[in-house]
Structure formats: C-alpha cells, structure tokens
Amino acid sequence: MTRPATLPGAVVAALRCPLCASAFDLDGRSLRCPSRHSFDLAKQGYVNLLHAGIPAGTADTAEMVAARVAFLGAGHYDGLRDLLAQVASGAVGDGLVVDAGAGTGYYLAGVLDRLPDAAGLALDVSAVALRRAAKAHARLGAAVWNLWEPWPVAAETAAVVLNVFAPRNAAEFRRVLRPGGTLLVVSPERGHLAELAAVAPVLEVDSRKEERLDAALSEHFELVSRRSLRDRVTLEPDDVRNAVRMGPTGHHPDRLAALDGVAGPAAVTLAFSLSEYRRTA
C-alpha cells in the first residue's frame, strides 16, 4: 500500500500558523501550533492553510490544471524550466526555495533537480493544482494560500523565491527572503503565443511590462540580470487548445467555443523574460 505523501522537515520548519503566526509541529498527518490550531494534510500531501474564501475565478480550475499538465508534459516549456533551474542553481546551493504561484510544481521540481541539498515550498491558491505539486518532487511541500495576503512563512527563511506567471507580492517576497536572497521572476514577452489570438481570445502582453515590473519591485529589490528566451514551435491541435485553456481565458468557458474548430497544427512564438533580483539591505 502506498504511503500518503507528507511535508519535508524544512518546509514544516518554515511554515507558520496563519491564525497566530506560531511555528508548527507535524503531528502525524496534522500541523499543530502551540495555540492548538490544527491543519490536516490532504492524502496527496499538501496542506490548506486558508481560513477565508477567495474571489470566484481566482484559483485554477480542474479543467485548467488538466490542460496545463498536458501542455507542460508535451515539453514545450522545458527550455524555460531548464533556464530557470540553471539560474537558481547559481544563486543557492542549499536552503529553501519558495515558489509563489507554483501551480502544479513543474518549475519548482526542475529547480530542485539541480539543487540536491535544497527543499521547496509551493504556494498557490488552487488546491487542485497543489494536488499535483505535492507529488512533483520528494523534497517539495505544498500549501494552499492567497499570495496577496501575508504569507504563512517565517521571515528570512528562503534562499530563493520563484515567481512564474503569477501574482507578485513584493513586500512578502522581501520578507521571506534571507539577506542577499534571490528573486527570480518569469513573465511573457511581447509576442508570446500571439498567433493563438486567431482562434481564441488571449491577453496581449504589455510592451512596457518589464519597466512596470522593475518599478513595482524597486522598493525592495535591485535588478541583477535579465535573460530573454525566444523560440518558434509547432503546436498540434490539442496543444493549441491546452495552451489557451490553461491561461486566464480558461476562467471564461464561454470564450473557448472557437477552439472546437482547431483542426490543424499552428506555428507559434514562445517568448519569455527571466529577471533576477537581489533583496536590498
């Protein structure tokens, strides 16, 4: 019989009770704090620390997660994952890597493969996604949380924070990073998947996105480097449908009807920006 997944010790040590901010002990399949607040682990190994609801349309749905798993499993973003792991491995040899908006854990698992002495904490508002993330790597722990709220993570515990196509809470990035810690932010560049606009509504990338990103983080971080990754790939019809369904358009099923007419492959642009920031003193 397969033993239920659990949380790595380094993740338990970093987590804090969202009700009283106390440290946790792992008692069997529950996280407990000295104030007797308790949070049970799901059988997949993640823990839901939310104590309030979230707005509708915020968390990825089961359909969006399934589309993401299929699309990423086809290898289209492997180059981005490898680049992220390469940069992260140069920033830290051990310690905790926190992925803010981790989704299914695809990128965090790739980073941990390059960091044999590190542990990873996946934070995401979608419990459906974290069911996958909790099993993505043996040294990965997952917790459901709203990234716009103060995180249930101890201050100065992370060596690296990852943020891949996810909400950016600059103050919390800085608070949880240890002095000299590294923040790695991935965002789409102009032209990313732009060809898909011919078959479904997709968001156009802001031409000033990097400028706005630097401004938003400038109070807490300084830019160290920025790398651009561009490619042209051919997507089969199922890949096209999954690429649209896994993104923000997936929250609007009424806009997906046009995908039923996709019958042939499509050549599309992949364009990413990886920005490396260092926490300021």
Side-chain angles (χ1 to χ4, degrees), residues 261-276:
V262 177
V268 303
T269 302
L270 302 183
F272 311 104
S273 175
L274 171 55
S275 302
E276 178 182 0

Side-chain angles (χ1 to χ4, degrees), residues 39 88 147 216 226 269 276:
F39 299 85
L147 296 177
R226 176 164 285 139
T269 302
E276 178 182 0

Side-chain angles (χ1 to χ4, degrees), residues 56 65 107 125 174 192 250 265:
V65 170
Y107 300 103
V125 76
R174 187 187 191 283
H192 178 63

Side-chain angles (χ1 to χ4, degrees), residues 8 19 25 63-64 79 83 89 101 123 135 152 161 175 218 222 226 241 243:
L19 301 177
D25 286 320
E63 292 77 12
M64 294 170 70
L83 177 61
S89 66
L123 295 176
K135 297 183 176 183
V161 169
R175 187 186 65 81
S218 62
E222 59 182 2
R226 176 164 285 139
R241 286 187 276 268

Side-chain angles (χ1 to χ4, degrees), residues 20 89-90 139 162 170 210 224 267:
C20 66
S89 66
R139 287 180 276 114
L162 309 178
E210 293 176 347
V224 175

